[in-house]
Amino acid sequence: MNRRVVVTGVGLVTPLGYEVETVWKRLLNGESGVDRITLFDASNFQTQIAAEVKDWNIGMIGEDPADWAHTDRHTCFAVGAAQYAMKDSGLLDQDFDHTRLGVYTGAGEGRQDFGLFAKMMIAGLREDGSLDYGRFVQRGMEILDPVRELEQEPNMPAAYIAARFQALGPNVNCLTACAASAQAVGEAVEIIRRSEADLMIAGGAHSMIHPFGVTGFNLLTALSTHNDFPEKASCPFDKNRSGFILGEGAAMLVLEDLDHAKARGAKIYGEITGYGSTSDAYRITDIHPEGRGAISCMQMAIESAGLKPEDIDYINAHGTSTSVNDRVESLAIRKTFGEYADKVPVSSTKSMTGHLIAAAGASELIYCLFAIRDQILPPTINYETPDPVCDLDYIPNQARKAKCDTVLTNSFGFGGQDISLVVQRYRP
């Protein structure tokens, strides 16, 4: 029989802050973390706004920032969120078997050093504009730091977290774009259910607010260009939506076998009961127009939890604020839930946080746990003009008190990866 898996610790580093209760309060107040880009000069970019993490550094968890000066931004976020989650769980003050603690992250690649790359390009350029690879490589050998290059590997956040907490169990990273941290949580749950670990630190981290990241998404026409009104630019499901807002940050959860949690007297936020993972098997950048992957993913998560669609009290949508995603996700919810789709409330917290890419799913799962705890649903802000093709209850602009014991949360990634999780109020 599969073991029950509960959440006993949570940690965040986000554009709305890094103290979980503060982030939750700001979400309920409908506050936006979107502003002008400050991490680089974006004045000549099509998109000049993003949701940056501000007023946080690694020193806030007791580290010397100088020792982490060459560590990638997203890795620092990941370690910070993991520290907060482990402290919240109470494990830092308790003895436990470290061989039964694992790490599963959904994290992206590190930031590129554009200055060094430019120097390599200049050294390698011939007069006719072609590239002399010999000179390019020679200059790279002279100026690149091999350790710094290693820091860009996607598994670095998991490695740093494992070293910090002596997590000697499974250590895995998945990079499935916007679905990554939700997938990491789902797979970590399965590891515990299979008795391969008793505890897992699971979640994700990403930071793509750099010239290549913004340029790439602009080329896909995926980002909003409403630069004059940053706080209004992310408007999921609204008829005037024009693209998502690039965010950054990290979210980590401590997942635990229920019996292990009870034995040590841990507080329990909720129980993860359902996990669905499917593929659109369609285009790399587009969700299937009929939502087939999203539909099967939600159905799988609900069925694996032993539930029916009408048992879901709230849906935390992927809700990116792109024209295609919001339309197709709305269609998929309607096909999955049938007549009940008109009754189940749906919202997108990305309207406030921006899209944290690999960290999005885990952060949104934490918001779902707090919705269950407080019996209040976060809103979709900036919802002003209804769209006929998005015809659900999106909890517009104001948080809503409501019965909330069972929640479905969606994460859909570029490449067609679809993840849904079901989390419920813990019942002994």
mmCIF file with all atom_site columns, all heavy atoms in Angstrom, residues 210-230:
data_model
loop_
_atom_site.group_PDB
_atom_site.id
_atom_site.type_symbol
_atom_site.label_atom_id
_atom_site.label_alt_id
_atom_site.label_comp_id
_atom_site.label_asym_id
_atom_site.label_entity_id
_atom_site.label_seq_id
_atom_site.pdbx_PDB_ins_code
_atom_site.Cartn_x
_atom_site.Cartn_y
_atom_site.Cartn_z
_atom_site.occupancy
_atom_site.B_iso_or_equiv
_atom_site.pdbx_formal_charge
_atom_site.auth_seq_id
_atom_site.auth_comp_id
_atom_site.auth_asym_id
_atom_site.auth_atom_id
_atom_site.pdbx_PDB_model_num
ATOM 1   N N   . HIS A 1 210 ? 17.347 38.199 -17.823 1.00 0.00 ? 210 HIS A N   1
ATOM 2   C CA  . HIS A 1 210 ? 18.623 38.636 -18.381 1.00 0.00 ? 210 HIS A CA  1
ATOM 3   C C   . HIS A 1 210 ? 18.428 38.832 -19.881 1.00 0.00 ? 210 HIS A C   1
ATOM 4   O O   . HIS A 1 210 ? 17.382 38.445 -20.436 1.00 0.00 ? 210 HIS A O   1
ATOM 5   C CB  . HIS A 1 210 ? 19.740 37.637 -18.065 1.00 0.00 ? 210 HIS A CB  1
ATOM 6   C CG  . HIS A 1 210 ? 19.458 36.221 -18.448 1.00 0.00 ? 210 HIS A CG  1
ATOM 7   N ND1 . HIS A 1 210 ? 19.320 35.796 -19.761 1.00 0.00 ? 210 HIS A ND1 1
ATOM 8   C CD2 . HIS A 1 210 ? 19.284 35.112 -17.686 1.00 0.00 ? 210 HIS A CD2 1
ATOM 9   C CE1 . HIS A 1 210 ? 19.103 34.501 -19.797 1.00 0.00 ? 210 HIS A CE1 1
ATOM 10  N NE2 . HIS A 1 210 ? 19.052 34.060 -18.552 1.00 0.00 ? 210 HIS A NE2 1
ATOM 11  N N   . PRO A 1 211 ? 19.363 39.455 -20.585 1.00 0.00 ? 211 PRO A N   1
ATOM 12  C CA  . PRO A 1 211 ? 19.135 39.793 -21.992 1.00 0.00 ? 211 PRO A CA  1
ATOM 13  C C   . PRO A 1 211 ? 18.726 38.630 -22.878 1.00 0.00 ? 211 PRO A C   1
ATOM 14  O O   . PRO A 1 211 ? 17.829 38.770 -23.725 1.00 0.00 ? 211 PRO A O   1
ATOM 15  C CB  . PRO A 1 211 ? 20.483 40.396 -22.427 1.00 0.00 ? 211 PRO A CB  1
ATOM 16  C CG  . PRO A 1 211 ? 21.015 41.021 -21.167 1.00 0.00 ? 211 PRO A CG  1
ATOM 17  C CD  . PRO A 1 211 ? 20.612 40.077 -20.069 1.00 0.00 ? 211 PRO A CD  1
ATOM 18  N N   . PHE A 1 212 ? 19.370 37.455 -22.717 1.00 0.00 ? 212 PHE A N   1
ATOM 19  C CA  . PHE A 1 212 ? 18.994 36.318 -23.559 1.00 0.00 ? 212 PHE A CA  1
ATOM 20  C C   . PHE A 1 212 ? 17.589 35.837 -23.237 1.00 0.00 ? 212 PHE A C   1
ATOM 21  O O   . PHE A 1 212 ? 16.822 35.473 -24.134 1.00 0.00 ? 212 PHE A O   1
ATOM 22  C CB  . PHE A 1 212 ? 19.996 35.169 -23.368 1.00 0.00 ? 212 PHE A CB  1
ATOM 23  C CG  . PHE A 1 212 ? 21.250 35.305 -24.176 1.00 0.00 ? 212 PHE A CG  1
ATOM 24  C CD1 . PHE A 1 212 ? 21.474 36.421 -24.970 1.00 0.00 ? 212 PHE A CD1 1
ATOM 25  C CD2 . PHE A 1 212 ? 22.223 34.321 -24.138 1.00 0.00 ? 212 PHE A CD2 1
ATOM 26  C CE1 . PHE A 1 212 ? 22.637 36.555 -25.707 1.00 0.00 ? 212 PHE A CE1 1
ATOM 27  C CE2 . PHE A 1 212 ? 23.392 34.441 -24.876 1.00 0.00 ? 212 PHE A CE2 1
ATOM 28  C CZ  . PHE A 1 212 ? 23.606 35.555 -25.659 1.00 0.00 ? 212 PHE A CZ  1
ATOM 29  N N   . GLY A 1 213 ? 17.241 35.804 -21.946 1.00 0.00 ? 213 GLY A N   1
ATOM 30  C CA  . GLY A 1 213 ? 15.920 35.336 -21.555 1.00 0.00 ? 213 GLY A CA  1
ATOM 31  C C   . GLY A 1 213 ? 14.814 36.208 -22.116 1.00 0.00 ? 213 GLY A C   1
ATOM 32  O O   . GLY A 1 213 ? 13.840 35.721 -22.704 1.00 0.00 ? 213 GLY A O   1
ATOM 33  N N   . VAL A 1 214 ? 14.960 37.512 -21.949 1.00 0.00 ? 214 VAL A N   1
ATOM 34  C CA  . VAL A 1 214 ? 13.941 38.441 -22.436 1.00 0.00 ? 214 VAL A CA  1
ATOM 35  C C   . VAL A 1 214 ? 13.889 38.427 -23.966 1.00 0.00 ? 214 VAL A C   1
ATOM 36  O O   . VAL A 1 214 ? 12.805 38.404 -24.565 1.00 0.00 ? 214 VAL A O   1
ATOM 37  C CB  . VAL A 1 214 ? 14.208 39.864 -21.906 1.00 0.00 ? 214 VAL A CB  1
ATOM 38  C CG1 . VAL A 1 214 ? 13.238 40.858 -22.524 1.00 0.00 ? 214 VAL A CG1 1
ATOM 39  C CG2 . VAL A 1 214 ? 14.088 39.894 -20.373 1.00 0.00 ? 214 VAL A CG2 1
ATOM 40  N N   . THR A 1 215 ? 15.059 38.424 -24.617 1.00 0.00 ? 215 THR A N   1
ATOM 41  C CA  . THR A 1 215 ? 15.088 38.402 -26.079 1.00 0.00 ? 215 THR A CA  1
ATOM 42  C C   . THR A 1 215 ? 14.429 37.135 -26.614 1.00 0.00 ? 215 THR A C   1
ATOM 43  O O   . THR A 1 215 ? 13.641 37.180 -27.576 1.00 0.00 ? 215 THR A O   1
ATOM 44  C CB  . THR A 1 215 ? 16.538 38.488 -26.590 1.00 0.00 ? 215 THR A CB  1
ATOM 45  O OG1 . THR A 1 215 ? 17.126 39.714 -26.149 1.00 0.00 ? 215 THR A OG1 1
ATOM 46  C CG2 . THR A 1 215 ? 16.582 38.436 -28.109 1.00 0.00 ? 215 THR A CG2 1
ATOM 47  N N   . GLY A 1 216 ? 14.729 35.996 -26.010 1.00 0.00 ? 216 GLY A N   1
ATOM 48  C CA  . GLY A 1 216 ? 14.161 34.738 -26.473 1.00 0.00 ? 216 GLY A CA  1
ATOM 49  C C   . GLY A 1 216 ? 12.643 34.723 -26.407 1.00 0.00 ? 216 GLY A C   1
ATOM 50  O O   . GLY A 1 216 ? 11.963 34.342 -27.378 1.00 0.00 ? 216 GLY A O   1
ATOM 51  N N   . PHE A 1 217 ? 12.106 35.161 -25.278 1.00 0.00 ? 217 PHE A N   1
ATOM 52  C CA  . PHE A 1 217 ? 10.648 35.163 -25.145 1.00 0.00 ? 217 PHE A CA  1
ATOM 53  C C   . PHE A 1 217 ? 10.009 36.246 -26.012 1.00 0.00 ? 217 PHE A C   1
ATOM 54  O O   . PHE A 1 217 ? 8.880  36.089 -26.480 1.00 0.00 ? 217 PHE A O   1
ATOM 55  C CB  . PHE A 1 217 ? 10.250 35.339 -23.682 1.00 0.00 ? 217 PHE A CB  1
ATOM 56  C CG  . PHE A 1 217 ? 10.422 34.083 -22.860 1.00 0.00 ? 217 PHE A CG  1
ATOM 57  C CD1 . PHE A 1 217 ? 11.208 34.097 -21.715 1.00 0.00 ? 217 PHE A CD1 1
ATOM 58  C CD2 . PHE A 1 217 ? 9.803  32.902 -23.236 1.00 0.00 ? 217 PHE A CD2 1
ATOM 59  C CE1 . PHE A 1 217 ? 11.368 32.939 -20.954 1.00 0.00 ? 217 PHE A CE1 1
ATOM 60  C CE2 . PHE A 1 217 ? 9.955  31.744 -22.479 1.00 0.00 ? 217 PHE A CE2 1
ATOM 61  C CZ  . PHE A 1 217 ? 10.742 31.763 -21.346 1.00 0.00 ? 217 PHE A CZ  1
ATOM 62  N N   . ASN A 1 218 ? 10.726 37.351 -26.240 1.00 0.00 ? 218 ASN A N   1
ATOM 63  C CA  . ASN A 1 218 ? 10.211 38.353 -27.174 1.00 0.00 ? 218 ASN A CA  1
ATOM 64  C C   . ASN A 1 218 ? 10.134 37.802 -28.597 1.00 0.00 ? 218 ASN A C   1
ATOM 65  O O   . ASN A 1 218 ? 9.185  38.087 -29.338 1.00 0.00 ? 218 ASN A O   1
ATOM 66  C CB  . ASN A 1 218 ? 11.082 39.609 -27.160 1.00 0.00 ? 218 ASN A CB  1
ATOM 67  C CG  . ASN A 1 218 ? 10.694 40.611 -26.088 1.00 0.00 ? 218 ASN A CG  1
ATOM 68  O OD1 . ASN A 1 218 ? 11.521 41.368 -25.588 1.00 0.00 ? 218 ASN A OD1 1
ATOM 69  N ND2 . ASN A 1 218 ? 9.419  40.643 -25.719 1.00 0.00 ? 218 ASN A ND2 1
ATOM 70  N N   . LEU A 1 219 ? 11.119 37.008 -28.971 1.00 0.00 ? 219 LEU A N   1
ATOM 71  C CA  . LEU A 1 219 ? 11.096 36.395 -30.302 1.00 0.00 ? 219 LEU A CA  1
ATOM 72  C C   . LEU A 1 219 ? 9.902  35.462 -30.449 1.00 0.00 ? 219 LEU A C   1
ATOM 73  O O   . LEU A 1 219 ? 9.360  35.297 -31.550 1.00 0.00 ? 219 LEU A O   1
ATOM 74  C CB  . LEU A 1 219 ? 12.400 35.623 -30.554 1.00 0.00 ? 219 LEU A CB  1
ATOM 75  C CG  . LEU A 1 219 ? 13.646 36.478 -30.823 1.00 0.00 ? 219 LEU A CG  1
ATOM 76  C CD1 . LEU A 1 219 ? 14.892 35.613 -30.812 1.00 0.00 ? 219 LEU A CD1 1
ATOM 77  C CD2 . LEU A 1 219 ? 13.519 37.206 -32.156 1.00 0.00 ? 219 LEU A CD2 1
ATOM 78  N N   . LEU A 1 220 ? 9.477  34.859 -29.360 1.00 0.00 ? 220 LEU A N   1
ATOM 79  C CA  . LEU A 1 220 ? 8.298  33.996 -29.378 1.00 0.00 ? 220 LEU A CA  1
ATOM 80  C C   . LEU A 1 220 ? 7.005  34.796 -29.259 1.00 0.00 ? 220 LEU A C   1
ATOM 81  O O   . LEU A 1 220 ? 5.918  34.205 -29.265 1.00 0.00 ? 220 LEU A O   1
ATOM 82  C CB  . LEU A 1 220 ? 8.370  32.990 -28.228 1.00 0.00 ? 220 LEU A CB  1
ATOM 83  C CG  . LEU A 1 220 ? 9.467  31.930 -28.317 1.00 0.00 ? 220 LEU A CG  1
ATOM 84  C CD1 . LEU A 1 220 ? 9.551  31.145 -27.010 1.00 0.00 ? 220 LEU A CD1 1
ATOM 85  C CD2 . LEU A 1 220 ? 9.225  30.993 -29.489 1.00 0.00 ? 220 LEU A CD2 1
ATOM 86  N N   . THR A 1 221 ? 7.132  36.118 -29.115 1.00 0.00 ? 221 THR A N   1
ATOM 87  C CA  . THR A 1 221 ? 5.990  37.024 -28.871 1.00 0.00 ? 221 THR A CA  1
ATOM 88  C C   . THR A 1 221 ? 5.181  36.573 -27.661 1.00 0.00 ? 221 THR A C   1
ATOM 89  O O   . THR A 1 221 ? 3.955  36.692 -27.626 1.00 0.00 ? 221 THR A O   1
ATOM 90  C CB  . THR A 1 221 ? 5.072  37.137 -30.115 1.00 0.00 ? 221 THR A CB  1
ATOM 91  O OG1 . THR A 1 221 ? 4.447  35.876 -30.387 1.00 0.00 ? 221 THR A OG1 1
ATOM 92  C CG2 . THR A 1 221 ? 5.847  37.601 -31.325 1.00 0.00 ? 221 THR A CG2 1
ATOM 93  N N   . ALA A 1 222 ? 5.875  36.053 -26.653 1.00 0.00 ? 222 ALA A N   1
ATOM 94  C CA  . ALA A 1 222 ? 5.195  35.509 -25.473 1.00 0.00 ? 222 ALA A CA  1
ATOM 95  C C   . ALA A 1 222 ? 5.084  36.512 -24.336 1.00 0.00 ? 222 ALA A C   1
ATOM 96  O O   . ALA A 1 222 ? 4.248  36.338 -23.445 1.00 0.00 ? 222 ALA A O   1
ATOM 97  C CB  . ALA A 1 222 ? 5.928  34.256 -24.975 1.00 0.00 ? 222 ALA A CB  1
ATOM 98  N N   . LEU A 1 223 ? 5.928  37.554 -24.330 1.00 0.00 ? 223 LEU A N   1
ATOM 99  C CA  . LEU A 1 223 ? 5.943  38.502 -23.217 1.00 0.00 ? 223 LEU A CA  1
ATOM 100 C C   . LEU A 1 223 ? 5.049  39.707 -23.485 1.00 0.00 ? 223 LEU A C   1
ATOM 101 O O   . LEU A 1 223 ? 4.947  40.186 -24.615 1.00 0.00 ? 223 LEU A O   1
ATOM 102 C CB  . LEU A 1 223 ? 7.365  38.995 -22.954 1.00 0.00 ? 223 LEU A CB  1
ATOM 103 C CG  . LEU A 1 223 ? 8.390  37.985 -22.455 1.00 0.00 ? 223 LEU A CG  1
ATOM 104 C CD1 . LEU A 1 223 ? 9.722  38.684 -22.195 1.00 0.00 ? 223 LEU A CD1 1
ATOM 105 C CD2 . LEU A 1 223 ? 7.911  37.290 -21.185 1.00 0.00 ? 223 LEU A CD2 1
ATOM 106 N N   . SER A 1 224 ? 4.464  40.218 -22.407 1.00 0.00 ? 224 SER A N   1
ATOM 107 C CA  . SER A 1 224 ? 3.713  41.461 -22.507 1.00 0.00 ? 224 SER A CA  1
ATOM 108 C C   . SER A 1 224 ? 4.665  42.623 -22.780 1.00 0.00 ? 224 SER A C   1
ATOM 109 O O   . SER A 1 224 ? 5.793  42.657 -22.276 1.00 0.00 ? 224 SER A O   1
ATOM 110 C CB  . SER A 1 224 ? 2.950  41.718 -21.206 1.00 0.00 ? 224 SER A CB  1
ATOM 111 O OG  . SER A 1 224 ? 2.361  43.017 -21.225 1.00 0.00 ? 224 SER A OG  1
ATOM 112 N N   . THR A 1 225 ? 4.201  43.566 -23.577 1.00 0.00 ? 225 THR A N   1
ATOM 113 C CA  . THR A 1 225 ? 4.979  44.776 -23.856 1.00 0.00 ? 225 THR A CA  1
ATOM 114 C C   . THR A 1 225 ? 4.271  46.019 -23.317 1.00 0.00 ? 225 THR A C   1
ATOM 115 O O   . THR A 1 225 ? 4.545  47.134 -23.760 1.00 0.00 ? 225 THR A O   1
ATOM 116 C CB  . THR A 1 225 ? 5.219  44.930 -25.374 1.00 0.00 ? 225 THR A CB  1
ATOM 117 O OG1 . THR A 1 225 ? 3.960  44.936 -26.050 1.00 0.00 ? 225 THR A OG1 1
ATOM 118 C CG2 . THR A 1 225 ? 6.075  43.796 -25.905 1.00 0.00 ? 225 THR A CG2 1
ATOM 119 N N   . HIS A 1 226 ? 3.384  45.822 -22.339 1.00 0.00 ? 226 HIS A N   1
ATOM 120 C CA  . HIS A 1 226 ? 2.684  46.951 -21.718 1.00 0.00 ? 226 HIS A CA  1
ATOM 121 C C   . HIS A 1 226 ? 3.610  47.615 -20.697 1.00 0.00 ? 226 HIS A C   1
ATOM 122 O O   . HIS A 1 226 ? 3.380  47.572 -19.482 1.00 0.00 ? 226 HIS A O   1
ATOM 123 C CB  . HIS A 1 226 ? 1.393  46.468 -21.053 1.00 0.00 ? 226 HIS A CB  1
ATOM 124 C CG  . HIS A 1 226 ? 0.331  46.107 -22.042 1.00 0.00 ? 226 HIS A CG  1
ATOM 125 N ND1 . HIS A 1 226 ? -0.869 45.555 -21.681 1.00 0.00 ? 226 HIS A ND1 1
ATOM 126 C CD2 . HIS A 1 226 ? 0.291  46.220 -23.394 1.00 0.00 ? 226 HIS A CD2 1
ATOM 127 C CE1 . HIS A 1 226 ? -1.605 45.328 -22.753 1.00 0.00 ? 226 HIS A CE1 1
ATOM 128 N NE2 . HIS A 1 226 ? -0.920 45.731 -23.804 1.00 0.00 ? 226 HIS A NE2 1
ATOM 129 N N   . ASN A 1 227 ? 4.669  48.241 -21.195 1.00 0.00 ? 227 ASN A N   1
ATOM 130 C CA  . ASN A 1 227 ? 5.726  48.756 -20.330 1.00 0.00 ? 227 ASN A CA  1
ATOM 131 C C   . ASN A 1 227 ? 5.301  49.954 -19.486 1.00 0.00 ? 227 ASN A C   1
ATOM 132 O O   . ASN A 1 227 ? 5.889  50.215 -18.441 1.00 0.00 ? 227 ASN A O   1
ATOM 133 C CB  . ASN A 1 227 ? 6.931  49.142 -21.189 1.00 0.00 ? 227 ASN A CB  1
ATOM 134 C CG  . ASN A 1 227 ? 7.506  47.956 -21.942 1.00 0.00 ? 227 ASN A CG  1
ATOM 135 O OD1 . ASN A 1 227 ? 7.699  46.894 -21.370 1.00 0.00 ? 227 ASN A OD1 1
ATOM 136 N ND2 . ASN A 1 227 ? 7.776  48.141 -23.228 1.00 0.00 ? 227 ASN A ND2 1
ATOM 137 N N   . ASP A 1 228 ? 4.305  50.688 -19.918 1.00 0.00 ? 228 ASP A N   1
ATOM 138 C CA  . ASP A 1 228 ? 3.918  51.904 -19.207 1.00 0.00 ? 228 ASP A CA  1
ATOM 139 C C   . ASP A 1 228 ? 3.101  51.628 -17.945 1.00 0.00 ? 228 ASP A C   1
ATOM 140 O O   . ASP A 1 228 ? 3.002  52.495 -17.072 1.00 0.00 ? 228 ASP A O   1
ATOM 141 C CB  . ASP A 1 228 ? 3.108  52.815 -20.140 1.00 0.00 ? 228 ASP A CB  1
ATOM 142 C CG  . ASP A 1 228 ? 3.947  53.351 -21.283 1.00 0.00 ? 228 ASP A CG  1
ATOM 143 O OD1 . ASP A 1 228 ? 5.189  53.413 -21.127 1.00 0.00 ? 228 ASP A OD1 1
ATOM 144 O OD2 . ASP A 1 228 ? 3.376  53.692 -22.332 1.00 0.00 ? 228 ASP A OD2 1
ATOM 145 N N   . PHE A 1 229 ? 2.546  50.420 -17.854 1.00 0.00 ? 229 PHE A N   1
ATOM 146 C CA  . PHE A 1 229 ? 1.721  50.082 -16.695 1.00 0.00 ? 229 PHE A CA  1
ATOM 147 C C   . PHE A 1 229 ? 2.118  48.695 -16.183 1.00 0.00 ? 229 PHE A C   1
ATOM 148 O O   . PHE A 1 229 ? 1.374  47.720 -16.370 1.00 0.00 ? 229 PHE A O   1
ATOM 149 C CB  . PHE A 1 229 ? 0.234  50.119 -17.058 1.00 0.00 ? 229 PHE A CB  1
ATOM 150 C CG  . PHE A 1 229 ? -0.220 51.433 -17.638 1.00 0.00 ? 229 PHE A CG  1
ATOM 151 C CD1 . PHE A 1 229 ? -0.331 51.604 -19.008 1.00 0.00 ? 229 PHE A CD1 1
ATOM 152 C CD2 . PHE A 1 229 ? -0.510 52.503 -16.798 1.00 0.00 ? 229 PHE A CD2 1
ATOM 153 C CE1 . PHE A 1 229 ? -0.739 52.814 -19.544 1.00 0.00 ? 229 PHE A CE1 1
ATOM 154 C CE2 . PHE A 1 229 ? -0.916 53.723 -17.319 1.00 0.00 ? 229 PHE A CE2 1
ATOM 155 C CZ  . PHE A 1 229 ? -1.026 53.880 -18.692 1.00 0.00 ? 229 PHE A CZ  1
ATOM 156 N N   . PRO A 1 230 ? 3.290  48.600 -15.544 1.00 0.00 ? 230 PRO A N   1
ATOM 157 C CA  . PRO A 1 230 ? 3.808  47.281 -15.155 1.00 0.00 ? 230 PRO A CA  1
ATOM 158 C C   . PRO A 1 230 ? 2.836  46.466 -14.305 1.00 0.00 ? 230 PRO A C   1
ATOM 159 O O   . PRO A 1 230 ? 2.651  45.270 -14.547 1.00 0.00 ? 230 PRO A O   1
ATOM 160 C CB  . PRO A 1 230 ? 5.074  47.634 -14.357 1.00 0.00 ? 230 PRO A CB  1
ATOM 161 C CG  . PRO A 1 230 ? 5.494  48.963 -14.875 1.00 0.00 ? 230 PRO A CG  1
ATOM 162 C CD  . PRO A 1 230 ? 4.218  49.683 -15.191 1.00 0.00 ? 230 PRO A CD  1
#
